[in-house]
Every structure is written in C-alpha cells, then in structure tokens.
Amino acid sequence: MSPTAGRRRVVVTGIGCVTPLGTDAASTWEAATAGRCGIALLDDVDERLSVRIGARVTGELDCGDLHPKELRRYDRTMRLGLAAAREAVLDAALAGQVDPDRAGVAIGSGIGGIGTLLENHRSYLEHGPRRVSPFFIPMTLANMPSGVVAIHHGLRGPNLCHVTACASSSHSIGEAARCIERGDADVMLAGGAEAAVNDLVMAGFANMHALSRRNDDPERASRPFDLARDGFVLGEGAAVLVLEAVEHAAARGARARAELVGYAASGDAAHMAAPDAESGGAARCMAAALADADLAPSDVDHINAHATSTPAGDTVEVESIRRVFGGHTEAIPVSATKGMTGHLLGAAGALEALFCVRSLEEGLLPPTINLDDPDPDCALDHVAGKARPAGIRVALSNSFGFGGVNAALILQRSGA
C-alpha cells in the first residue's frame, strides 16, 4: 500500500536507547529477545513505601565529550536523552550530512526533571533560597532533553516536546513525522526520556493502586495480560529514532531501517486516570492510524501492546484490538515488553517503536514474560515466554496514558 498522495514518505535511519535492559540498542534488544528482566528491588528508597521495586538504567551513559561540570547541570532525564540521541545519530551516520536549519528534535517526557525539583526543594527547606541552583528551572523543564540534544548536535529546525503522559514519545515520533511529511524539516530526532523512579513518584502511583506490590519477587512483578497482574512497575530510560524524508535519506546513501507509514492520536474524554471502559478512544486511534497508512486491518502482522500490567488497562486494550481487527485478531501475534523493561512512562512508546523496527528487520518478535496464566478476558495470540521468529511486514505500536490520551504508530519493513 502507498501512503497518502502528496506527502513525503518518512523512514527510520537511526535508533538509540538506554534502558533497564542495556545502555544501547544492541544490548537492549539482545536482552529483550532473550526474555531477561530489568526490574529489581531498590535499596535506596524509603522503607515506608508499600512498593520498593523499579526498573532503572544501570551502567555508564555515553553522552559524548561533555565536561563533567556541564553534565552536573543536567537533570538525569536530559542525560538519558542525550545518550540515546547520540547513539541514534551515530547509527544514522548523520553528522555533517544535514542542513542544520532543516533538522530538528522532538523528545517527549511525561514528568520531566522531577528529580532535580525534589533535590532543590530539599535544599530550599534545609538551607534557604540561596542554596537553590541557578540551573534549577531549566533542568526541570520537560522540553529540556529536546533542547540540549539540539544544542549538542547543532540542529536548528523544529524543536518540540510533547507532554502527554505515557503517550508522550509516541506523539513526539508521530508529530515529528508530520513535520517531515509537510516539508517543515528533512530530519527529526524523535523519542522520549524519563527519569522518575523516586520516592515521591512511587508513593503517588502506589497510593493510586497503580503499581505492582510484588516486592518479594521483582522480576515476576510486571505481568501483562496475566490473570494475577496487580499493576505496573515504574521504569526509566530513553529511546530516540532518527526520522528522515525518504528522498533525503536516499540522496546521502543512508540505510532505511523501516518506514513510518501511519500515525494517529485520539482522546477518550472519559476519565482523568482510568481507561475508557468502552475502549472507544483506543480503537478509534488504531483505526485512524490504519487509515493514515492506507492499510486494512488484515495487513497488520504484529502488535507491540501498551499493556502495562494493570487489571483494567490490559483488558480495555484487548477489547479495542478486537473492535478494530475483528476476525483478523487471532492471526496477529502480540508482544507486551513492559514485563521486561517496566513502564518507562513518557519514554515507553519510543522504546516499543524501536522494538518494532528491530522486529521488522530481524523477523523476531520479543516475548511477553510472566504470562503464566493468561486472563481469559485478554485472549490474543500472545508471544508468551520466549521470542518468536516471524517474517512480518507491518507492525503496530500502541501507547495510552492519563488524561485519556492515545497514540498509535505503524511501521513497515523497509522495501516492503
């Protein structure tokens, strides 16, 4: 199928990530396809918390040749975004290959620099106003990962940040693609960054009864679609895709890893935090993405589900999939990778889109781990337990979030 006439086609020419599974795309993908889990008991959180498990990035971050003094002025969200973007730029061989006025950045974050906010609030209370960092304000802004990535790569095109909870990075990728399609840019670095695994955020989510309380069994706590699921596990990380107009990529001899052929966004207009019980918003979003790609439901070969492991959310997503795909539903293998990575909030969608790119390239679908007793209300063709070989052509990635926000991305194998 061909994209809508009159707009420029968009390909993915580079990928980069730092996640609880690895500090680059290769190690993250290897761990994901092996079914490894990045969730652990946290030894530095308040012992009064009812939930003390999470998924953090471990190991050194490669942010390039930045001086340590400069890095100290960056919130962890910014450093994660810089590391993921650096890898993506290297992967795309982008340096010196673009007009900086025609290249931009769109890195979303659901919460932004909350770690810096908490640190400076403590300093204010204990030592007074003079101890608040002069870098406090810029470090806490959600758009600052986009800002510093643009600064360090000299990209002067559109500089955007979408703050739409757990759909932030999927919206960033989709809207960045729109910039390229309509001719506002030739290249966009798009994705998400999040670093919110701290006492305050964990207490808030726990008091909403959104988090799993399996403190005694961290690696089995996130259980998408499982009958015994009891909530998500908070994670951190960043993922960035280099999006490029197909003719621009061809002119510089760049490799097209996949093509982004469809995107849509919708709203539930139902509840501040709970998913739409009628599954209308999510279903409309997926249907609109298919229409945007000029694809039929039967063209989709794989879904990377949002599937956070919450009792209500997983069920609603399955119902929305059934509404859109009808009789084709049982023929679509579904992966839910948050069982391994935890929930990266504003960075989750970009990481899962990256997984779709790798699945299209390798013909290998990452597994849904901890799916020991599938919920009958969540019956699908689950890629359960271990990775599955599959020569797929089209993959769909879902992202949903608080405020009733929905995003769907459709990626197609390069040359398909």
Side-chain angles (χ1 to χ4, degrees):
M1 300 284 182
S2 60
T4 302
R7 77 183 192 198
R8 300 202 299 174
R9 292 167 55 197
V10 178
V11 292
V12 178
T13 56
I15 59 174
C17 65
V18 284
T19 76
L21 297 180
T23 53
D24 58 25
S27 60
T28 294
W29 177 248
E30 190 276 329
T33 53
R36 291 201 288 272
C37 185
I39 298 167
L41 184 68
L42 304 176
D43 58 10
D44 61 346
V45 297
D46 191 330
E47 63 181 14
R48 296 173 298 175
L49 286 169
S50 60
V51 175
R52 297 185 301 279
I53 56 176
R56 285 184 173 146
V57 175
T58 59
E60 295 295 321
L61 299 179
D62 184 0
C63 296
D65 57 357
L66 294 176
H67 192 279
K69 183 177 180 180
E70 186 172 9
L71 279 176
R72 285 197 296 272
R73 298 172 180 171
Y74 292 170
D75 178 82
R76 182 166 174 80
T77 311
M78 298 158 67
R79 296 196 297 271
L80 291 169
L82 274 170
R86 172 178 166 78
E87 183 188 9
V89 167
L90 290 171
D91 184 53
L94 204 60
Q97 298 292 307
V98 298
D99 176 351
D101 293 339
R102 300 282 302 164
V105 186
I107 297 176
S109 185
I111 295 181
I114 192 168
T116 292
L117 188 154
L118 291 173
E119 180 182 332
N120 279 269
H121 186 240
R122 282 192 295 268
S123 292
Y124 178 86
L125 293 178
E126 294 172 9
H127 305 291
R130 294 182 63 84
R131 288 293 294 273
V132 174
S133 169
F135 301 101
F136 159 59
I137 296 299
M139 279 198 289
T140 60
L141 297 177
N143 72 299
M144 208 48 65
S146 281
V148 294
V149 166
I151 290 166
H152 288 284
H153 292 281
L155 307 179
R156 301 193 295 260
N159 193 281
L160 309 171
C161 171
H162 295 82
V163 182
T164 46
C166 306
S168 297
S169 56
S170 290
H171 283 145
S172 292
I173 290 170
E175 297 299 331
R178 293 285 190 252
C179 287
I180 295 171
E181 288 171 352
R182 64 178 176 253
D184 292 344
D186 297 322
V187 177
M188 293 290 292
L189 274 59
E194 202 79 86
V197 184
N198 59 56
D199 291 357
L200 182 65
V201 174
M202 292 177 69
F205 277 128
N207 289 348
M208 292 177 68
H209 301 286
L211 298 181
S212 171
R213 296 172 183 259
R214 292 174 181 260
N215 295 314
D216 58 342
D217 198 6
E219 293 192 356
R220 293 172 57 79
S222 183
R223 315 179 64 82
F225 303 124
D226 191 80
L227 192 60
R229 67 191 185 277
D230 68 331
F232 71 85
V233 176
L234 191 61
E236 67 169 11
V240 172
L241 309 183
V242 176
L243 304 180
E244 195 164 349
V246 68
E247 66 273 16
H248 187 276
R252 67 182 191 88
R255 169 187 53 167
R257 304 192 67 147
E259 183 171 357
L260 181 59
V261 295
Y263 160 67
S266 73
D268 291 348
H271 191 276
M272 188 166 63
D276 178 6
E278 301 300 320
S279 67
R284 283 187 291 104
C285 190
M286 283 184 275
L290 286 168
D292 186 56
D294 194 19
L295 293 172
S298 58
D299 291 318
V300 174
D301 304 310
H302 173 55
I303 295 174
N304 190 304
H306 182 65
T308 62
S309 186
T310 59
D314 289 7
T315 303
V316 168
E317 182 170 12
V318 171
E319 285 302 317
S320 68
I321 289 170
R322 289 173 178 157
R323 285 180 60 175
V324 173
F325 293 96
H328 184 58
T329 300
E330 303 306 318
I332 308 174
V334 177
S335 296
T337 47
K338 289 183 179 73
M340 298 177 285
T341 66
H343 191 351
L344 275 58
L345 304 180
L351 177 58
E352 288 151 16
L354 185 153
F355 285 156
C356 286
V357 171
R358 296 298 286 118
S359 290
L360 289 163
E361 289 182 317
E362 291 204 8
L364 186 64
L365 311 181
T368 302
I369 66 169
N370 301 326
L371 185 52
D372 301 326
D373 186 11
D375 185 342
D377 290 335
C378 295
L380 294 168
D381 179 14
H382 296 292
V383 183
K386 62 181 181 179
R388 181 190 302 179
I392 63 171
R393 188 181 70 94
V394 174
L396 165 71
S397 179
N398 281 332
S399 296
F400 314 126
F402 285 179
V405 293
N406 307 300
L409 300 168
I410 299 180
L411 292 131
Q412 184 171 286
R413 189 174 67 238
S414 182

